[in-house]
Amino acid sequence: MHGNMTMGVAAAAGGIVTAALLVIGDEILSGRTKDRNIGFIAEHLTGIGIQLREVRVVPDIEAEIVAAVDTLRHRFDYLFTTGGIGPTHDDITADAIAKAFGVEIDVDERAVAVMRPHYETMQLPLTPARLRMARIPTGADLIDNAISKAPGFKLGNVIVMAGVPSIMQAMLIAVTPALRTGARMLSATLTVWRPESDIAELFRAVQGEFPEVAMGSYPFSEDGKYGAHLVLRSVAVATLTAAEGRLRAELAGRGWI
């Protein structure tokens, strides 16, 4: 039996900053495309001090995108979206965002200026299909795309990014300096070689003593033995340390670590 504790960097000054993620695309819901963005976004936001609180997946239907955007952008500090800003007819995210905000949308000369040299270098014309990727809602700031140049955009607290993982990652990194961040979530992990059922009551009791610390149990098996990773999370280092110490003491008292 053994335990370990790992903690992130010290919490930044300020309160909690929250976010939601809206994944847009029929291909995700049908299973044709496997999402590779949620985990990256969650890890990145946690690292910079933004707590991802909700993830939704919606189809390429304007009314459903608008409804989700209207709900989530008012519920959280930020709303990130992925997918639906490509060159084809079913890429309707930009139009849906414009509708949600009640603003116009058209080809943005700032986007064209970024895209034109890229396509000229490849000796490709800026066709109407490619110019669809330059359509930006009025009032939005552009988000750099270091991979294929067609930009994402930020309108209010909504950050609109591509669905292609490499492009999404480039956009997320590019927009990060413009984001307000808060206290970083810290974590402590104790690994216990006991079945979850053995530790459930003890774990529940410690959770009751520290209601402000999120606690979760994640079972595993290895070489025929059962165990659980007990993960504690909080933005307050002192509280997290106290909760981890209490849990460790209770487990040690039973000879489980």
Side-chain angles (χ1 to χ4, degrees):
M1 303 173 188
H2 65 279
N4 67 76
M5 181 175 181
T6 58
M7 303 188 70
V9 297
I16 303 300
V17 178
T18 63
L21 171 61
L22 184 63
V23 179
I24 300 166
D26 293 340
E27 70 279 8
I28 299 293
L29 289 167
S30 70
R32 180 179 179 85
T33 298
K34 307 298 186 291
D35 181 86
R36 292 166 48 201
N37 292 327
I38 295 173
F40 184 92
I41 292 171
E43 185 174 4
H44 181 81
L45 295 183
T46 297
I48 64 173
I50 298 177
Q51 295 184 21
L52 183 62
R53 292 283 181 84
E54 183 172 340
V55 177
R56 291 194 192 184
V57 184
V58 295
D60 296 309
I61 298 175
E62 184 179 85
E64 296 200 28
I65 299 171
V66 171
V69 169
D70 276 336
T71 297
L72 297 172
R73 73 186 178 97
H74 289 112
R75 186 176 295 169
F76 301 99
D77 295 308
Y78 289 110
L79 170 61
F80 295 82
T81 78
T82 62
I85 59 172
T88 60
H89 72 280
D90 58 338
D91 288 308
I92 60 173
T93 296
D95 295 270
I97 299 295
K99 188 168 184 177
F101 278 84
V103 300
E104 299 296 319
I105 182 170
D106 205 345
V107 172
D108 190 311
E109 289 304 319
R110 297 173 300 167
V112 174
V114 171
M115 293 168 61
R116 180 176 285 117
H118 175 71
Y119 284 101
E120 286 179 349
T121 298
M122 296 190 297
Q123 298 184 329
L124 294 171
L126 269 178
T127 61
R130 292 183 178 120
L131 284 173
R132 277 184 58 82
M133 297 186 289
R135 297 174 70 252
I136 305 293
T138 300
D141 296 320
L142 302 187
I143 298 174
D144 289 341
N145 168 6
I147 305 298
S148 59
K149 299 306 177 183
F153 61 87
K154 179 179 181 292
L155 183 57
N157 66 335
V158 180
I159 295 92
V160 179
M161 304 179 294
V164 177
S166 60
I167 299 176
M168 183 284 298
Q169 292 172 20
M171 289 180 175
L172 182 59
I173 291 168
V175 79
T176 293
L179 301 177
R180 179 173 63 90
T181 59
R184 291 188 174 126
M185 184 65 73
L186 310 175
S187 68
T189 301
L190 288 171
T191 301
V192 183
W193 288 94
R194 302 289 298 190
E196 273 192 311
S197 56
D198 285 358
I199 61 176
E201 290 301 321
L202 179 157
F203 199 35
R204 182 181 295 110
V206 175
Q207 175 70 92
E209 294 180 34
F210 297 89
E212 66 275 35
V213 178
M215 300 186 187
S217 175
Y218 305 92
F220 65 90
S221 63
E222 186 177 313
D223 298 328
K225 298 179 180 179
Y226 293 98
H229 299 299
L230 306 181
V231 180
L232 288 64
R233 303 174 73 237
S234 174
V235 297
V237 62
T239 304
L240 180 63
T241 300
E244 189 273 341
R246 176 65 170 158
L247 180 59
R248 183 184 293 276
E250 290 294 329
L251 293 168
R254 290 162 174 76
W256 290 350
I257 60 171

